[in-house]
Amino acid sequence: MQPPNIAAGRIVGVDNGWTAGMNTVRHPWLLRSDQYRRGLNIVNRGGVAQTRPGFSMKLILPPGNLQGMTYFRATKDNINKDYLICAVNGNIYAIPFPLQQPRSWESLRLKNLSFDSKAQMVYFAIAEKSVTILEDATVQLTPTYNVLMIQDGGITPAAFWDGEEQRHLLESAPALETPRGSWMTFSGGRLWIARDKIIIASDIYDPLKFTERLEGEGRGDFSVPKEITGLTSFVGDGRTEIVTIFTEDRSEIIQSGIRDRASWPTTPNFQSILFPSTGCVAGRSICFQSGLMWWYSPGGLVASDAAASSNLTSQINYKDAE
């Protein structure tokens, strides 16, 4: 213990941790007591700085053009089995959990599915199927199960896998199944597909059928001014589902929570502008954290708070402006 004469006159600083995190903008001498200038190989959770957790190698994927990866839980017939799905050179592999390096990747390949090996990206979306069309064209309700939808940007016909069945789909009549496209999202009981500047919606509760877009009062598709660069589903400020459509310099929404397609043409602002001058340049960057939607725009990383933006302003600030 220090003698009183040594500690006399000193100012003792007490802090509860690095709660304000890292600040690389200000000079180190000007930082607050709960900030640090730079951290290397650390994580900060609740103001506690710790060594970044390590990692272990689980898989070495097949060599070639890695085009995409996603997680999928097969629930058909109460399977409830988890898979890591990856696309390499146009081949789709389903790796069951717990992940183990296979002796042969061929045993894990979905052999009925084949996409363009040179496609820059393979797109995935998890949808839910609750109805089945019988041979006499009647609709039968079935227990809801997950369906993995797969696209390669319109080069190859769309495909699906539900943990059991796997095949490519026929867009033309009379089948009228899932059309080709790129970005996809499942919202309001429908699968929404982006194709260039067009948004296409599936039949209700059936991501494999697209007959309603050709008949009935709500037939037709939706369009935006430029090519679509991202697509996602979100819960808006009214606690209703919406589809957010991104182009490079603009964001729009569709009220997907309205399930009655016949009422779409008469619903005010069914399709409307979200941010007139903020778009998305990386569709895979769209994610959700603490109730906010984050994505990369041409100016940097941004976030959207649906509740706040409805009452304040359509202007949003870049989070990485420094």
Side-chain angles (χ1 to χ4, degrees), residues 55-61 84 95 97-102 105:
F55 64 90
S56 60
M57 182 73 70
K58 291 294 184 181
L59 294 171
I60 300 177
L61 298 179
L84 179 67
I95 308 125
F97 283 84
L99 301 177
Q100 295 181 349
Q101 186 69 30
W105 279 102

Side-chain angles (χ1 to χ4, degrees), residues 224-241:
V224 293
K226 293 185 178 181
E227 182 178 354
I228 298 167
T229 57
L231 197 67
T232 192
S233 176
F234 193 42
V235 177
D237 57 309
R239 298 190 180 276
T240 58
E241 291 179 279

Side-chain angles (χ1 to χ4, degrees), residues 5-311:
N5 62 324
I6 295 179
R10 291 186 178 181
I11 298 176
V12 180
V14 179
D15 190 63
N16 292 324
W18 309 105
T19 54
M22 184 172 68
N23 187 341
T24 61
V25 178
R26 303 191 72 183
H27 191 280
W29 293 356
L30 302 177
L31 291 180
R32 293 165 33 180
S33 59
D34 56 356
Q35 292 180 328
Y36 53 91
R37 179 68 169 81
R38 187 175 298 278
L40 181 64
N41 264 353
I42 68 168
V43 292
N44 186 342
R45 293 292 182 270
V48 179
Q50 306 175 62
T51 303
R52 185 177 62 185
F55 64 90
S56 60
M57 182 73 70
K58 291 294 184 181
L59 294 171
I60 300 177
L61 298 179
N65 179 22
L66 178 60
Q67 299 161 302
M69 185 178 295
T70 192
Y71 160 80
F72 176 66
R73 166 167 283 187
T75 58
K76 188 176 183 180
D77 298 330
N78 295 319
I79 296 175
N80 290 323
K81 192 169 184 179
D82 299 324
Y83 293 89
L84 179 67
I85 309 296
C86 63
V88 181
N89 281 351
N91 296 317
I92 308 298
Y93 300 92
I95 308 125
F97 283 84
L99 301 177
Q100 295 181 349
Q101 186 69 30
R103 293 184 178 180
S104 170
W105 279 102
E106 187 65 18
S107 63
L108 301 180
R109 184 171 67 88
L110 302 182
K111 298 177 175 58
N112 293 340
L113 307 184
S114 179
F115 291 90
D116 189 276
S117 61
K118 297 181 179 179
Q120 183 179 6
M121 188 182 302
V122 168
Y123 305 80
F124 298 101
I126 299 175
E128 294 179 354
K129 183 173 171 62
S130 303
V131 299
T132 299
I133 307 298
L134 303 179
E135 294 183 356
D136 59 357
T138 58
V139 178
Q140 180 183 27
L141 291 176
T142 59
T144 301
Y145 60 90
N146 292 339
V147 177
L148 179 66
M149 307 302 301
I150 313 172
Q151 303 265 14
D152 63 359
I155 304 173
T156 308
F160 81 96
W161 183 55
D162 58 17
E164 296 179 355
E165 186 180 0
Q166 49 173 293
R167 66 180 176 88
H168 287 272
L169 297 156
L170 300 175
E171 178 179 356
S172 57
L176 296 177
E177 294 180 322
T178 309
R180 307 181 191 207
S182 56
W183 302 104
M184 298 176 290
T185 190
F186 186 76
S187 181
R190 301 178 189 272
L191 178 68
W192 301 79
I193 301 176
R195 181 159 65 183
D196 297 327
K197 303 177 183 179
I198 304 298
I199 295 291
I200 306 170
S202 74
D203 293 0
I204 189 71
Y205 303 125
D206 191 351
L208 307 182
K209 297 295 289 185
F210 282 73
T211 58
E212 294 178 3
R213 62 186 290 245
L214 300 177
E215 57 189 33
E217 296 181 19
R219 64 182 180 273
D221 303 325
F222 301 89
S223 64
V224 293
K226 293 185 178 181
E227 182 178 354
I228 298 167
T229 57
L231 197 67
T232 192
S233 176
F234 193 42
V235 177
D237 57 309
R239 298 190 180 276
T240 58
E241 291 179 279
I242 60 174
V243 170
T244 306
I245 309 160
F246 293 97
T247 65
E248 187 174 350
D249 53 12
R250 180 167 164 167
S251 310
E252 299 191 13
I253 61 171
I254 290 178
Q255 299 183 47
S256 57
I258 301 177
R259 286 165 166 75
D260 181 13
R261 192 160 186 152
S263 65
W264 289 0
T266 58
T267 300
N269 298 319
F270 184 78
Q271 179 182 2
S272 59
I273 298 175
L274 179 62
F275 299 116
S277 58
T278 303
C280 176
V281 294
R284 282 179 171 170
S285 70
I286 304 170
C287 62
F288 298 89
Q289 174 67 28
S290 302
L292 302 182
M293 179 170 62
W294 297 78
W295 72 94
Y296 272 105
S297 72
L301 182 65
V302 294
S304 171
D305 186 336
S309 63
S310 64
N311 296 310

